[in-house]
């Protein structure tokens, strides 16, 4: 039996499932979901438990300046750039038990499987918890840890980002460091030999086709906007329509106009979401003088992202009526293809383990999109029930989670001995 096969065989389905259920208690919601916001007490506790687990195996732990947590299993070539694998522990406000945390627990389970199977590798392997992947949950910016690590965003800019309570990332990280007493610091960034992220698909394809493994080929691009409308608070009983500057009515006209343009039926490839919609003063007897909404627009084709995204401002202005409107593009990420040998390594590991599989595009964003700018990168998807995610009912099976972890363990051995 090859070392890759031994590593896969040493993955323990029950142990992996138990750890998911244990982590799901950190931020558990009454409806069965998880609310574990970036760098909050539950997120810090999740990291602390991972450090406890790591120390039990003698794996070295370290924290970098943006709070990324690295758990390292040494290789025979101690100085060689490591192979990395990981994801995120933070969730959306009404998140599920598997988004992000699966990739972290699969990474840890793979390290434990190698250790228990006494498999030596040339390169070190590091399991990683990337800070604050979920944009718009606590902080407005997502993939903070991986984008800082990859040099995509300046660390100083990220540390200044604040949540709705005005707490900065820098201040929140003080709580994280306090929870991880004794974990040494390490500089931001390093050479990486390869990176793999395991994740639930967050879409319906694998389950609908009865498949177990998704070999991710690319992550689609995204453009995000904030639209703010300024009208005038007025009395609901005395203000005629002619005199109103109703920010809510203007916002509704804008969203309707945008939806007409951003629908590409029957191909249904465009992903257009208004996830946040706020008005003020939010009082029944007052004509709303202020409204804001967000746009999350995604597509696999850069030309479509440009063509449609560039229309947002004009479409909003055309519907503003007597109100003033400000359109701000808050982020833009190009489609990221996984063009290295890593998807092939993943696919052949899945084939050797005889898992039904397909090549698949990721509709969701992931930390892997930034690692792909640094090193050969790939992702392993496993099915989730009805493709539901960013929802408290998100679900997956122990068998599928273990299958993805076996493919991960085998792929890591191959990459760490390359
Ligand atoms: O929004 C995303 O694509 C990711 O799940 N945060
Ligand atoms: Mn995720
Ligand atoms: Mn997510």
């Amino acid at each position: 039996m090859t070392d890759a096969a031994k590593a896969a065989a040493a993955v323990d389905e029950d142990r992996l499932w138990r750890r998911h259920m244990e982590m799901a208690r950190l931020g558990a919601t009454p409806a069965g979901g998880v609310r574990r916001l970036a760098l909050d007490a539950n997120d810090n506790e999740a990291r602390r438990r991972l450090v406890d687990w790591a120390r039990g195996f003698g794996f070295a732990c370290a924290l970098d300046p943006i709070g990324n947590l690295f758990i390292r299993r040494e290789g025979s070539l101690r100085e060689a750039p490591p192979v990395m694998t990981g994801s995120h522990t933070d969730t959306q406000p009404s998140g599920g038990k598997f988004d992000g945390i699966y990739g972290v627990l699969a990474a840890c389970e793979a390290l434990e499987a190698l250790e228990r199977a006494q498999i030596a590798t040339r390169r070190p392997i590091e399991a990683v918890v990337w800070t604050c992947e979920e944009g718009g949950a606590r902080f407005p910016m997502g993939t903070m840890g991986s984008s800082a690590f990859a040099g995509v965003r300046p660390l100083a800019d990220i540390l200044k980002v604040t949540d709705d309570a005005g707490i900065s990332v820098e201040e929140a990280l003080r709580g994280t460091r306090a929870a991880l007493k004794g974990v040494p610091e390490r500089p931001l960034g390093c050479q990486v030999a390869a990176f793999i992220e395991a994740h639930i698909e967050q879409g319906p394809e694998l389950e609908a086709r009865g498949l177990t493994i998704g070999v991710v080929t690319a992550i689609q691009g995204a453009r995000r906007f904030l639209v703010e409308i300024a009208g005038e608070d007025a009395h609901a009983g005395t203000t005629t329509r002619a005199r109103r500057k109703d920010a809510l009515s203007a916002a509704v006209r804008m969203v309707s106009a945008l939806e007409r343009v951003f629908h590409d039926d029957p191909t249904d490839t465009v992903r257009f979401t208004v996830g946040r919609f706020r008005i003020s003063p939010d009082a029944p007897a007052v004509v709303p003088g202020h409204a804001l909404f967000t746009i999350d627009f995604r597509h696999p084709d850069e030309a479509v992202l440009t063509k449609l995204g560039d229309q947002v401002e004009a479409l909003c202005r055309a519907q503003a009526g007597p109100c003033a409107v400000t359109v701000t593009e808050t982020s833009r990420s190009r489609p990221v293809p996984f063009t290295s040998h890593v998807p092939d390594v993943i696919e052949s590991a899945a084939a050797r383990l005889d898992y039904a599989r397909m090549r698949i595009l990721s509709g969701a964003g992931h930390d892997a999109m930034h690692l792909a700018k640094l090193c050969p990168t790939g992702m392993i998807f496993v099915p989730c029930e009805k493709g539901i995610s960013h929802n408290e009912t998100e679900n997956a099976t122990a068998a599928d989670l273990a299958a993805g972890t076996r493919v991960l363990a085998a792929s890591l051995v191959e990459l760490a001995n390359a």
Side-chain angles (χ1 to χ4, degrees), residues 147-165:
S147 62
F149 180 86
V152 171
R153 291 185 184 122
L155 174 65
D157 291 0
I158 301 175
L159 291 174
K160 284 192 293 230
V161 172
T162 55
D163 63 12
D164 284 349

Side-chain angles (χ1 to χ4, degrees), residues 67-130:
N68 296 321
L69 174 63
F70 301 86
I71 297 173
R72 182 181 172 98
R73 182 175 190 263
E74 279 307 342
S76 53
L77 302 178
R78 295 176 72 92
E79 303 312 312
V83 172
M84 287 189 176
T85 176
S87 191
H88 58 96
T89 52
D90 63 307
T91 72
Q92 286 289 333
S94 53
K97 299 187 181 76
F98 304 97
D99 175 3
I101 193 70
Y102 168 52
V104 171
L105 293 178
C108 294
E109 176 62 26
L111 288 193
E112 180 161 348
L114 267 68
E115 197 68 16
R116 289 179 184 276
Q118 297 176 321
I119 291 165
T121 58
R122 295 175 65 244
R123 294 178 179 283
I125 300 176
E126 294 186 348
V128 190
V129 178
W130 299 113

Side-chain angles (χ1 to χ4, degrees), residues 11-228:
V11 167
D12 184 311
E13 177 177 319
D14 292 339
R15 182 170 63 212
L16 182 63
W17 182 257
R18 262 198 324 277
R19 288 189 175 137
H20 277 86
M21 293 309 107
E22 183 195 322
M23 284 292 185
R25 283 196 285 277
L26 296 177
T29 62
V34 179
R35 176 190 175 87
R36 187 167 58 236
L37 302 183
L39 303 178
D40 75 4
N42 287 310
D43 195 29
N44 292 336
E45 173 60 13
R47 288 152 177 252
R48 198 196 59 76
R49 293 189 189 184
L50 292 168
V51 169
D52 267 1
W53 162 83
R55 283 176 173 153
F57 282 97
F59 298 147
C61 298
L63 213 54
D64 75 4
I66 190 61
N68 296 321
L69 174 63
F70 301 86
I71 297 173
R72 182 181 172 98
R73 182 175 190 263
E74 279 307 342
S76 53
L77 302 178
R78 295 176 72 92
E79 303 312 312
V83 172
M84 287 189 176
T85 176
S87 191
H88 58 96
T89 52
D90 63 307
T91 72
Q92 286 289 333
S94 53
K97 299 187 181 76
F98 304 97
D99 175 3
I101 193 70
Y102 168 52
V104 171
L105 293 178
C108 294
E109 176 62 26
L111 288 193
E112 180 161 348
L114 267 68
E115 197 68 16
R116 289 179 184 276
Q118 297 176 321
I119 291 165
T121 58
R122 295 175 65 244
R123 294 178 179 283
I125 300 176
E126 294 186 348
V128 190
V129 178
W130 299 113
T131 297
C132 189
E133 190 275 344
E134 299 285 8
R138 175 179 179 183
F139 297 102
M141 185 192 284
T143 63
M144 280 186 186
S146 51
S147 62
F149 180 86
V152 171
R153 291 185 184 122
L155 174 65
D157 291 0
I158 301 175
L159 291 174
K160 284 192 293 230
V161 172
T162 55
D163 63 12
D164 284 349
I167 298 172
S168 70
V169 170
E170 188 163 30
E171 288 165 295
L173 281 169
R174 287 188 204 125
T176 307
R177 290 195 171 89
L180 300 177
K181 259 192 283 307
V183 174
E185 298 276 328
R186 84 184 218 178
L188 182 64
C190 68
Q191 261 202 303
V192 185
F195 176 74
I196 301 185
E197 179 169 4
H199 208 286
I200 53 170
E201 179 197 338
Q202 298 179 296
E205 295 306 319
L206 292 174
E207 183 187 58
R209 301 163 191 243
L211 302 175
T212 307
I213 299 295
V215 181
V216 181
T217 54
I219 296 178
Q220 71 175 346
R223 294 183 75 174
R224 296 182 176 92
F225 301 84
L226 174 66
V227 180
E228 294 177 281

Side-chain angles (χ1 to χ4, degrees), residues 239-272:
T239 316
T240 62
R241 185 155 30 82
R243 286 178 42 237
R244 290 184 178 208
K245 295 182 180 177
D246 185 333
L248 181 274
S249 302
V252 168
R253 291 194 302 270
M254 290 175 196
V255 172
S256 307
L258 287 162
E259 286 207 322
R260 283 193 295 275
V261 171
F262 278 75
H263 267 209
D264 59 348
D265 292 341
T267 55
D268 190 1
T269 308
V270 166
R271 298 286 176 267
F272 175 86

